[in-house]
Amino acid sequence: MGEMKGSAVFRFAGFTLDPRRGALIDRSGTEIALRPKTFDVLRHLLANAGRLVTREELLAAVWPGVFVADENVTGCVAEIRRALHDDGRLLRTMPKRGYLLEAEVTQVTSGTSEAKEAEKPPSLDRQASGEATPNPLVPPVRASLVVLPFTNLSGDPDQEYFADGITEELTTALSRVRWFFVVARNSAFTYKGRAVDVRQVGQELGVRYVLEGSVRRAGEHVRISVQLSETETGHHVWADRFDGTREDIFALQDRVTEAVAGAMEPSLQAAEIGRSATKPTGSLDAYDLYLRGLSRAYRLTREDSEAALTLFRQAVALDPDFALAKAYGAGHRVVRKAQGWSEPEEWAEGAVWARELLWLGQDDPSVLRLAAITVAHLGRDYAAGVAGAERALARNRGSAQVLLSCAWVYVYACQPETAIPLFERAVRLSPHDPEVAFTLSGIALAHLVAGDLEAAAHWADRSVRHAPTWLAGRRTLVGALMMSGQEAEARAAAAALRSIAPQDRSLEDVIPPLQNQKIRGRYITALRAAGVPG
């Protein structure tokens, strides 16, 4: 949109920018102080929302006829992000090009009745309707849903992993249907064990439908009950119950997937659903081990990591053709290497598994994305990693996990211009991901590779705040600060890193294998200069 003349009130993402009052007002009605130039930068970005705005354009608009350094723009952008609590969905840095504000923006000319209404704090409208959800997301145009964690009704807490596994499998299957927008598993699991209002979930995750369900397992008998609700009204669209035996579990999952898709799109052809259905293994015992491994792999502790790897290995030993278990076993070794929990023999085994999966020509994007990141990281085969990532993305760009893994592959291959948009889309698909630190540290490293050290430090700091024990984020923060000349801050960050995890491995072992050896060398040199041992 072009910039409007005169003073216009802007409403966006729960905030109001009122040029007449010179104020940014948050959803609670509180005014947020901004420096005059920062205010002008935000106003220009809002007037041009959805369009790339170059630094040169911002300099000309905000500092006309005056020579100022780029740092002035960088400082204003950083202040805007702090004021908006930007989590990557609003103001994007496009490396070496400029900035893109992605938000639904309403402009109203000051003085009109519409403007007076717009100047009211956004929270007042929600309070009047009885809602209190901050900063609701706007659902995408295409069909969108979240699969909430299924309830375990088996009466046995040890069966919790089975209900969680069914939830994850349904999320993956539905995300492969090309016209679905499916929120990622990690954001969905933030609602585990909570009584929820589907209308609130719809606002918080930006989806039109919520799938809830339960799993009851008694011996060999399995019952899956599901309910599909529309988030705008809270009305039930459809509900059903599916009974079978443990041996029928894959057929049960396929039936649920087909029924959900059919309820959401009456014109859907059965063949479309068939493309999403897979039977990962013929061994139910192997599948059970795989689900147990998944439940441990998501916990970022060394003890759980060891248990997860053991369970994945046992699953593969029972069924050597169980590609998904082999893929997770390979991919989990990347996390273990970054944390300093593994040895070269384990890396070599993971790389071998990844190459086998790529050579076999797997069509499952979940397998491809893990094989791609593993072969690039552990095998340093960047060409094979990028080729695997391209295959995974071609099959499913609607999965946050696929986007995240493939984005990391492009970081390793030193292609930040490709990686950053994938990371940002992963955040949109999983807006409340408790493991968002992995994504944030990836965005940080991508900016470091691109040479935007201010952005790298910003995103790395956010990664550290989300997950203090995720060492990759801490290392990137130290490196970005040191490389940008902020030595005191870098040394403090290095001391914090040492206090959490005293380095007992060479930095050559734990630093991501960037294809550009000059960048990687400067990164390692900066870490050592800041006081990180190794």
Side-chain angles (χ1 to χ4, degrees):
M1 70 181 76
E3 187 163 7
M4 293 178 62
K5 299 295 183 182
S7 296
V9 175
F10 296 85
R11 287 287 296 269
F12 67 103
F15 292 88
T16 300
L17 189 80
D18 184 358
R20 187 185 60 180
R21 296 166 60 185
L24 174 67
I25 306 167
D26 69 12
R27 57 188 61 85
S28 69
T30 302
E31 292 193 9
I32 303 170
L34 294 177
R35 293 178 298 160
K37 291 301 183 184
T38 301
F39 186 96
D40 291 341
V41 169
L42 178 56
R43 178 168 58 178
H44 188 80
L45 290 169
L46 287 168
N48 295 277
R51 178 178 74 80
L52 176 69
V53 177
T54 65
R55 287 190 178 223
E56 292 75 19
E57 178 182 335
L58 280 174
L59 289 170
V62 180
W63 293 271
V66 179
F67 176 78
V68 295
D70 285 348
E71 285 75 11
N72 287 274
V73 176
T74 300
C76 290
V77 168
E79 185 178 351
I80 290 169
R81 284 183 173 136
R82 287 193 295 270
L84 301 179
H85 306 289
D86 182 18
D87 59 2
R89 295 196 298 270
L90 290 177
L91 183 52
R92 295 170 52 189
T93 298
M94 312 301 285
K96 301 188 183 301
R97 291 188 289 164
Y99 301 96
L100 177 64
L101 184 71
E102 288 197 321
E104 294 290 332
V105 179
T106 301
Q107 296 186 36
V108 184
T109 303
S110 288
T112 65
S113 59
E114 291 87 352
K116 292 177 181 178
E117 179 67 19
E119 290 163 15
K120 291 197 310 182
S123 61
L124 297 181
D125 295 332
R126 286 192 299 276
Q127 290 169 2
S129 63
E131 298 174 3
T133 300
N135 197 14
L137 299 178
V138 177
V141 174
R142 60 182 172 144
S144 54
L145 80 157
V146 61
V147 183
L148 293 182
F150 277 31
T151 304
N152 170 30
L153 297 181
S154 301
D156 180 1
D158 290 339
Q159 293 296 317
E160 198 73 22
Y161 77 93
F162 188 76
D164 291 349
I166 296 298
T167 307
E168 179 151 354
E169 294 287 293
L170 288 174
T171 299
T172 300
L174 287 166
S175 72
R176 291 182 192 139
V177 181
R178 62 170 179 255
W179 43 263
F180 270 13
F181 175 100
V182 183
V183 170
R185 173 257 190 216
N186 286 351
S187 282
F189 269 71
T190 61
Y191 296 92
K192 184 175 174 63
R194 294 165 48 189
V196 298
D197 181 334
V198 296
R199 291 171 295 183
Q200 180 179 347
V201 173
Q203 290 185 335
E204 292 177 349
L205 296 180
V207 294
R208 299 191 188 281
Y209 300 93
V210 168
L211 184 69
E212 301 171 278
S214 62
V215 178
R216 185 185 299 275
R217 180 176 169 184
E220 293 300 304
H221 182 77
V222 178
R223 169 172 290 176
I224 301 176
S225 299
V226 289
Q227 173 179 291
L228 185 69
S229 301
E230 188 180 31
T231 59
E232 184 176 358
T233 63
H235 293 161
H236 297 167
V237 175
W238 160 85
D240 208 342
R241 188 177 68 194
F242 301 84
D243 289 297
T245 66
R246 182 167 170 258
E247 293 183 354
D248 299 329
I249 189 63
F250 306 122
L252 280 174
Q253 291 173 7
D254 293 344
R255 284 165 56 197
V256 174
T257 302
E258 182 175 349
V260 171
M264 294 175 65
E265 179 57 57
S267 63
L268 183 72
Q269 297 295 319
E272 286 291 323
I273 291 301
R275 295 178 187 176
S276 73
T278 58
K279 185 176 182 179
T281 176
S283 170
L284 294 173
D285 289 333
Y287 183 66
D288 197 69
L289 289 165
Y290 156 74
L291 293 183
R292 292 178 186 272
L294 278 184
S295 71
R296 303 295 290 271
Y298 283 113
R299 309 170 196 167
L300 195 60
T301 71
R302 188 164 190 165
E303 179 184 1
D304 284 305
S305 175
E306 298 284 355
L309 188 59
T310 298
L311 289 161
F312 289 139
R313 279 175 167 156
Q314 291 173 348
V316 173
L318 280 179
D319 182 0
D321 296 326
F322 189 177
L324 201 55
K326 183 173 286 189
Y328 270 96
H332 190 61
R333 287 169 169 84
V334 174
V335 175
R336 290 172 54 75
K337 182 174 183 290
Q339 291 293 94
W341 294 340
S342 57
E343 300 296 333
E345 295 79 9
E346 185 179 305
W347 312 339
E349 182 187 31
V352 168
W353 281 16
R355 289 193 179 96
E356 287 176 355
L357 293 167
L358 292 175
W359 289 339
L360 289 173
Q362 293 289 335
D363 289 330
D364 186 341
S366 297
V367 171
L368 288 171
R369 62 109 179 173
L370 290 165
I373 192 173
T374 304
V375 78
H377 190 122
L378 302 183
R380 301 198 178 195
D381 190 339
Y382 306 103
V386 168
E390 290 175 348
R391 288 164 59 193
L393 290 168
R395 286 160 178 78
N396 190 1
R397 297 184 73 90
S399 163
Q401 291 183 319
V402 169
L403 293 164
L404 176 59
S405 296
C406 293
W408 272 107
V409 171
Y410 287 110
V411 173
Y412 302 150
C414 293
Q415 299 178 30
E417 68 285 352
T418 303
I420 291 173
L422 295 177
F423 279 127
E424 291 173 339
R425 177 161 169 75
V427 170
R428 174 64 186 94
L429 282 167
S430 190
H432 300 295
D433 192 336
E435 296 175 341
V436 71
F438 300 160
T439 305
L440 298 176
S441 65
I443 297 174
L445 187 58
H447 282 297
L448 185 148
V449 171
D452 190 341
L453 299 176
E454 182 266 336
H458 166 78
W459 290 104
D461 180 65
R462 290 191 57 201
S463 174
V464 169
R465 292 177 186 275
H466 276 277
T469 60
W470 176 234
L471 304 184
R474 286 193 173 275
R475 295 189 194 104
T476 306
L477 177 60
V478 174
L481 291 171
M482 195 70 184
M483 293 167 73
S484 63
Q486 301 179 68
E487 294 189 13
E489 294 84 349
R491 294 184 188 282
L497 171 61
R498 292 195 304 271
S499 70
I500 290 176
Q503 185 69 33
D504 59 357
R505 304 194 67 89
S506 167
L507 286 174
E508 293 286 349
D509 288 343
V510 295
I511 292 302
L514 302 176
Q515 187 172 16
N516 188 315
Q517 290 300 304
K518 289 184 179 179
I519 295 176
R520 189 171 190 269
R522 288 198 295 269
Y523 183 21
I524 292 176
T525 298
L527 288 172
R528 288 172 175 158
V532 178

